[in-house]
Coordinates of all heavy atoms in Angstrom, one line a residue:
Chain B
Y569 N 134.2 131.2 99.8 CA 134.0 130.3 98.6 C 135.2 130.1 97.8 O 135.6 129.0 97.5 CB 132.9 130.9 97.7 CG 132.6 130.0 96.6 CD1 131.8 128.9 96.7 CD2 133.3 130.2 95.4 CE1 131.6 128.0 95.7 CE2 133.1 129.3 94.3 CZ 132.3 128.2 94.5 OH 132.1 127.3 93.4
F570 N 135.9 131.2 97.5 CA 137.1 131.0 96.7 C 138.3 130.3 97.4 O 139.0 129.5 96.8 CB 137.6 132.4 96.2 CG 137.0 132.8 94.9 CD1 135.8 133.6 95.0 CD2 137.4 132.5 93.7 CE1 135.2 134.0 93.8 CE2 136.8 132.9 92.5 CZ 135.7 133.6 92.6
E571 N 138.4 130.5 98.7 CA 139.5 129.9 99.4 C 139.3 128.5 99.9 O 140.2 127.7 100.0 CB 139.9 130.8 100.6 CG 140.4 132.2 100.2 CD 141.7 132.3 99.5 OE1 142.1 131.3 98.9 OE2 142.3 133.4 99.6
H572 N 138.0 128.2 100.3 CA 137.8 126.9 100.9 C 136.8 126.0 100.1 O 136.8 124.8 100.4 CB 137.2 127.2 102.3 CG 138.2 127.7 103.3 ND1 139.2 126.9 103.8 CD2 138.4 128.9 103.8 CE1 139.9 127.6 104.6 NE2 139.5 128.9 104.6
M573 N 136.1 126.5 99.2 CA 135.2 125.6 98.5 C 135.7 125.3 97.1 O 135.7 124.2 96.6 CB 133.8 126.2 98.5 CG 133.2 126.2 99.9 SD 131.5 126.7 99.9 CE 130.7 125.3 99.2
L574 N 136.1 126.4 96.4 CA 136.6 126.2 95.0 C 137.8 125.2 94.9 O 137.9 124.4 93.9 CB 137.0 127.5 94.4 CG 137.4 127.6 93.0 CD1 136.2 127.0 92.1 CD2 137.7 129.0 92.5
P575 N 138.6 125.1 96.0 CA 139.7 124.0 95.9 C 139.2 122.6 95.7 O 139.9 121.8 95.1 CB 140.4 124.2 97.2 CG 140.2 125.6 97.6 CD 138.8 125.9 97.2
Q576 N 137.9 122.4 96.1 CA 137.4 121.0 95.8 C 137.3 120.7 94.3 O 137.2 119.5 94.0 CB 136.0 120.8 96.5 CG 136.1 120.9 98.0 CD 136.9 119.8 98.6 OE1 137.0 118.7 98.1 NE2 137.7 120.1 99.7
A577 N 137.3 121.7 93.5 CA 137.3 121.4 92.0 C 138.5 120.7 91.6 O 138.5 120.0 90.6 CB 137.0 122.8 91.3
K578 N 139.6 120.9 92.3 CA 140.9 120.3 91.9 C 140.8 118.8 91.8 O 141.3 118.2 90.8 CB 142.0 120.7 92.9 CG 142.4 122.1 92.8 CD 143.6 122.3 93.7 CE 143.8 123.8 93.8 NZ 145.2 124.2 93.9
G579 N 140.2 118.2 92.8 CA 140.1 116.7 92.8 C 139.3 116.3 91.6 O 139.6 115.3 90.9
H580 N 138.2 117.0 91.3 CA 137.4 116.6 90.1 C 138.2 116.8 88.8 O 138.1 115.9 87.9 CB 136.1 117.5 90.1 CG 135.2 117.2 91.3 ND1 134.6 116.0 91.5 CD2 134.8 118.0 92.3 CE1 133.9 116.0 92.6 NE2 134.0 117.2 93.1
A581 N 138.9 117.9 88.7 CA 139.7 118.1 87.5 C 140.7 117.0 87.3 O 140.9 116.4 86.2 CB 140.5 119.4 87.6
D582 N 141.3 116.6 88.4 CA 142.3 115.5 88.3 C 141.7 114.2 87.9 O 142.2 113.4 87.0 CB 143.0 115.4 89.7 CG 144.3 114.6 89.7 OD1 144.8 114.4 88.6 OD2 144.7 114.3 90.8
S583 N 140.6 113.9 88.6 CA 140.0 112.6 88.4 C 139.4 112.3 87.0 O 139.4 111.2 86.5 CB 138.9 112.4 89.5 OG 138.1 111.3 89.4
M584 N 138.9 113.4 86.4 CA 138.1 113.2 85.1 C 139.0 112.8 84.0 O 138.5 112.3 83.0 CB 137.3 114.4 84.8 CG 137.9 115.6 84.3 SD 136.7 116.9 83.8 CE 136.6 117.8 85.3
L585 N 140.3 113.0 84.1 CA 141.2 112.7 83.0 C 141.8 111.3 83.1 O 142.7 110.9 82.2 CB 142.3 113.8 82.9 CG 141.8 115.2 82.5 CD1 143.0 116.1 82.4 CD2 141.0 115.2 81.2
K586 N 141.5 110.6 84.1 CA 142.1 109.3 84.3 C 141.6 108.3 83.2 O 140.5 108.4 82.7 CB 141.8 108.7 85.7 CG 142.3 109.6 86.8 CD 143.8 109.6 86.8 CE 144.4 110.7 87.7 NZ 144.2 110.5 89.1
P587 N 142.4 107.3 82.9 CA 142.0 106.3 81.9 C 140.7 105.6 82.2 O 140.5 105.3 83.4 CB 143.1 105.3 81.9 CG 144.3 105.9 82.5 CD 143.7 107.0 83.4

Side-chain angles (χ1 to χ4, degrees):
Chain B
Y569 180 82
F570 274 92
E571 300 290 24
H572 288 285
M573 296 186 68
L574 189 56
Q576 291 302 322
K578 290 186 188 212
H580 295 296
D582 195 13
S583 172
M584 76 176 88
L585 296 181
K586 298 298 168 65

